Amino acid sequence: SAVISQKPSRDICQRGTSLTIQCQVDSQVTMMFWYRQQPGQSLTLIATANQGSEATYESGFVIDKFPISRPNLTFSTLTVSNMSPEDSSIYLCSVELGLKNIQYFGAGTRLSVL
Amino acid sequence: GENVEQHPSTLSVQEGDSAVIKCTYSDSASNYFPWYKQELGKRPQLIIDIRSNVGEKKDQRIAVTLNKTAKHFSLHITETQPEDSAVYFCAASKNPGTYKYIFGTGTRLKVLA
């Protein structure tokens, strides 16, 4: 496995503002993923972030709302833009290790939008 | 589109009994099926996985079975303990391919002491 650090762990934000979430891994990984988990719900993939290319977004998620950066093989950020209360959720990053399609998750960011 | 159905949504068992959670996937090209356990307020943790070239895999009290023809797979937990109480998620993926996971809706397992 790997050590995956995600921050902030939680935040309370005002409507209309933006929050950037960071995900740092202690080893180089090709594939990183960003998920949203609404209260009591399953994990929904927002986008796949590969180093050196633009993120690939899933249906229902757009770059203007969730811009992603992937500057190197150990780091990625997800920004939640122009937030509304509906964006209140847990956001998790995950990484795929060892080319075996096994994903390991960060501890998540609990976001509340007022 | 790709879909993974998971049942039941909640499951209560007495300590020491067995628990079974079932998932059905729609994409016949799926070939990797992990199971995650998520305790309250914690990150999902991989507990067991199975690839399409085997029908069953066991790790101590946990086992997973796969029926490729029927496109369903199941998690079996024997001799349940209170610390098994958590939400369990199944997922399906294609490797090589998109690598992304399609998660089931989750099962909240309560083990009653």
Side-chain angles (χ1 to χ4, degrees):
Chain A
S1 62
V3 175
I4 304 167
S5 302
Q6 190 175 334
K7 58 182 179 181
S9 59
R10 59 177 63 231
D11 207 342
I12 301 173
C13 301
Q14 295 296 320
R15 180 195 301 260
T17 63
S18 297
L19 176 71
T20 294
I21 303 167
Q22 299 179 5
C23 184
Q24 177 79 50
V25 191
D26 68 345
S27 58
Q28 294 185 339
V29 296
T30 301
M31 308 193 73
M32 296 181 76
F33 305 86
W34 287 98
Y35 290 85
R36 183 174 71 185
Q37 187 176 29
Q38 295 179 308
Q41 302 295 314
S42 186
L43 295 94
T44 301
L45 183 63
I46 297 171
T48 302
N50 292 338
Q51 195 268 338
S53 63
E54 290 194 7
T56 302
Y57 288 82
E58 297 299 307
S59 176
F61 298 96
V62 295
I63 187 171
D64 290 346
K65 176 68 175 177
F66 298 100
I68 287 171
S69 78
R70 183 76 201 276
N72 56 53
L73 290 172
T74 64
F75 186 77
S76 179
T77 67
L78 170 75
T79 299
V80 187
S81 303
N82 188 24
M83 289 183 286
S84 66
E86 292 72 35
D87 294 319
S88 297
S89 190
I90 298 172
Y91 293 85
L92 299 116
C93 69
S94 76
V95 303
E96 193 243 6
L97 290 176
L99 301 177
K100 292 184 177 181
N101 203 16
I102 299 174
Q103 290 188 27
Y104 296 91
F105 285 85
T109 296
R110 185 179 297 271
L111 171 63
S112 297
V113 183
L114 305 179
Chain B
E2 301 159 350
N3 185 48
V4 176
E5 295 185 357
Q6 183 172 346
H7 299 281
S9 57
T10 61
L11 179 60
S12 293
V13 299
Q14 290 292 327
E15 182 178 1
D17 287 350
S18 296
V20 180
I21 303 170
K22 299 181 178 181
C23 289
T24 303
Y25 58 98
S26 61
D27 188 345
S28 58
S30 297
N31 58 7
Y32 176 64
F33 309 93
W35 285 89
Y36 285 82
K37 175 184 180 182
Q38 187 176 32
E39 297 178 43
L40 188 63
K42 300 293 181 69
R43 74 187 75 193
Q45 299 267 20
L46 179 71
I47 56 170
I48 196 167
D49 58 7
I50 192 167
R51 299 184 189 274
S52 60
N53 57 344
V54 297
E56 184 174 1
K57 184 177 179 180
K58 189 173 182 180
D59 183 4
Q60 299 182 355
R61 296 187 297 109
I62 295 173
V64 57
T65 59
L66 171 65
N67 183 327
K68 287 188 293 183
T69 302
K71 291 190 287 186
H72 66 70
F73 56 112
S74 300
L75 177 71
H76 304 254
I77 305 174
T78 59
E79 301 173 21
T80 53
Q81 302 167 3
E83 51 265 38
D84 294 329
S85 296
V87 179
Y88 291 81
F89 293 99
C90 64
S93 180
K94 291 183 284 192
N95 178 21
T98 62
Y99 296 90
K100 67 180 184 182
Y101 287 3
I102 306 299
F103 279 92
T105 49
T107 296
R108 183 174 301 278
L109 174 64
K110 296 181 183 178
V111 179
L112 307 173

